Amino acid sequence: MRKSNNLIVLLVLICGIALLAQNLGLISISWVAVWPIFPLAYGLYLFYQFYKTRNKDLITFATILTGAGAVFLLNAIPNGLTWPETIPWWPIFPLLWGLGALFTYLADKKDISLLLTSAILVCAGVFFLFSGAPQAQGYLKFWPVILITFCIVILLYNAVNTGRRRSEY
């Protein structure tokens, strides 16, 4: 725990030095370009904490923060996307949430509801992401096949595990 506190203090120290240097006119920092690094870095830190502690509760939040930081970083880099250009990309956020739920399920396969949550969010994210793409219009009517497939897999999984539990008694 002490090492992680030192890391946070070190990051705050670096930010303080950068702010002081900015205020003294020694450097010029565009905070519009820098701020996405914070959710990205914190998301990666949460992944590291999961790796160390195996606390599956960190994974969904880590996935959302890392992905959101990366998306917002696309706005911050020179010649990157402008804010109006990112509007069609909003479905990435439910998609990230769904991927986080899937990663959490994969870390500990006891909570099958995470798989259904993941399926719904990933399907919604993919559907809305591709609904803006003209070449995908013909295929959008088949998106419920993904949801149906996930539900069948969950039902089969539950049926197999229920049969196993009954045979154990």
Side-chain angles (χ1 to χ4, degrees):
M1 187 74 168
R2 194 163 196 82
K3 287 183 183 178
S4 64
N5 286 341
N6 287 342
L7 178 64
I8 293 170
V9 169
L10 183 63
L11 290 174
V12 172
L13 175 67
I14 291 169
C15 286
I17 292 170
L19 288 169
L20 180 62
Q22 164 106 7
N23 289 344
L24 294 175
L26 301 174
I27 61 173
S28 177
I29 298 172
S30 169
W31 291 105
V32 172
V34 172
W35 79 265
I37 293 172
F38 294 106
L40 178 67
Y42 190 62
L44 293 173
Y45 172 75
L46 290 177
F47 274 121
Y48 173 71
Q49 285 299 315
F50 165 73
Y51 175 75
K52 281 179 43 179
T53 64
R54 295 295 178 204
N55 180 358
K56 68 178 179 78
D57 296 331
L58 299 172
I59 298 174
T60 300
F61 196 53
T63 304
I64 294 169
L65 280 176
T66 303
V71 168
F72 291 134
L73 201 56
L74 291 175
N75 291 91
I77 59 175
N79 299 320
L81 297 173
T82 62
W83 282 108
E85 290 173 329
T86 57
I87 291 171
W89 293 96
W90 72 265
I92 285 178
F93 297 105
L95 184 63
L96 288 170
W97 188 7
L99 289 175
L102 177 64
F103 297 154
T104 303
Y105 169 75
L106 293 174
D108 182 16
K109 296 181 181 173
K110 293 177 185 167
D111 189 0
I112 196 76
S113 67
L114 287 170
L115 197 55
L116 183 60
T117 302
S118 172
I120 292 169
L121 289 168
V122 167
C123 285
V126 169
F127 173 76
F128 287 115
L129 194 59
F130 286 118
S131 66
Q135 62 273 22
Q137 295 300 320
Y139 298 105
L140 285 177
K141 60 185 168 191
F142 296 108
W143 77 266
V145 171
I146 299 169
L147 186 61
I148 292 166
T149 304
F150 272 112
C151 291
I152 290 171
V153 167
I154 291 169
L155 289 172
L156 290 173
Y157 176 84
N158 286 341
V160 168
N161 281 338
T162 303
R164 285 184 188 161
R165 280 188 240 132
R166 286 185 187 153
S167 64
E168 291 175 1
Y169 293 110

